[in-house]
């Protein structure tokens, strides 16, 4: 296209361009949510390992388990980004940001609960906080993905 085409104040051209952008956002949102089937369980397992890590022993063993689980989370994000071209750790708007903050706070609370249980010698109860962390992450990732897709579709 030549420069004169872009200089024309044509409302039809503007509508067409906005329609193309809207279509791109919808396709991106669909591609993002299509990958949830494998990403959510994988992330939930890695978070469950982090939450369960105090059961391995506070200090050294916990650090190793947490480091390995963190590496797994980074690897999952890398694989997701490679398949979709989308980074999951950058919210698309205010709703996905709120869900991400809430999800992070709940996961930290589950980890702190496990750590406190390990410190008082109640390691058997860590199973409950680990299960809660797994379920929170499994459901939370699905909610985050839907919120992210919603933010993508609504962004203007």
């Amino acid at each position: 296209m030549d420069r004169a085409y872009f200089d024309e104040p044509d409302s039809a051209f503007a509508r067409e361009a906005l329609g193309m952008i809207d279509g791109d956002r919808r396709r991106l949102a669909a591609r993002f949510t299509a990958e949830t089937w494998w990403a959510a369980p994988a992330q939930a397992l890695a978070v469950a390992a982090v939450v369960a890590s105090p059961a391995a022993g506070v200090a050294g063993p916990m650090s190793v388990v947490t480091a390995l689980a963190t590496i797994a989370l980074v690897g999952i994000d890398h694989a997701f980004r490679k398949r979709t071209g989308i980074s999951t750790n950058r919210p698309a708007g205010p709703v996905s940001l709120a869900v991400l903050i809430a999800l992070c706070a709940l996961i930290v609370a589950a980890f702190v609960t496990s750590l406190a249980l390990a410190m008082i010698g109640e390691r058997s109860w860590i199973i409950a906080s680990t299960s809660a962390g797994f379920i929170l992450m499994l459901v939370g990732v699905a909610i985050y993905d839907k919120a992210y897709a919603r933010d993508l579709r609504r962004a203007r």
Side-chain angles (χ1 to χ4, degrees), residues 75-150:
I76 293 163
D77 183 60
H78 178 72
F80 186 88
R81 186 174 42 241
K82 195 172 183 181
R83 288 174 63 117
T84 64
I86 305 166
S87 178
T88 59
N89 56 5
R90 293 187 191 122
V95 176
S96 56
L97 177 62
V99 171
L100 183 62
I101 290 169
L103 188 58
C104 289
L106 290 169
I107 298 307
V108 167
F111 175 75
V112 169
T113 301
S114 289
L115 190 57
L117 289 168
M119 298 286 252
I120 63 172
E122 295 291 335
R123 289 200 170 123
S124 62
W125 281 96
I126 293 176
I127 294 170
S129 61
T130 300
S131 299
F134 177 81
I135 292 167
L136 286 170
M137 192 65 176
L138 189 62
V139 173
V141 168
I143 292 169
Y144 176 75
D145 288 352
K146 289 186 186 335
Y148 191 99
R150 178 186 172 274

Side-chain angles (χ1 to χ4, degrees), residues 1 15 18 46 59 68 86 109-111 134 148 154 156:
M1 296 183 178
R15 272 193 294 280
L18 289 173
L68 291 174
I86 305 166
F111 175 75
F134 177 81
Y148 191 99
R154 293 181 161 258
R156 303 266 181 231

Side-chain angles (χ1 to χ4, degrees), residues 20-51:
M20 289 172 34
I21 291 169
D22 187 52
D24 286 345
R25 288 184 177 282
R26 292 185 185 285
R27 280 190 297 281
L28 192 60
R31 190 170 62 196
F32 186 83
T33 54
E35 294 296 324
T36 303
W37 71 269
W38 70 269
Q43 288 173 326
L45 283 172
V47 166
V50 169
V51 174

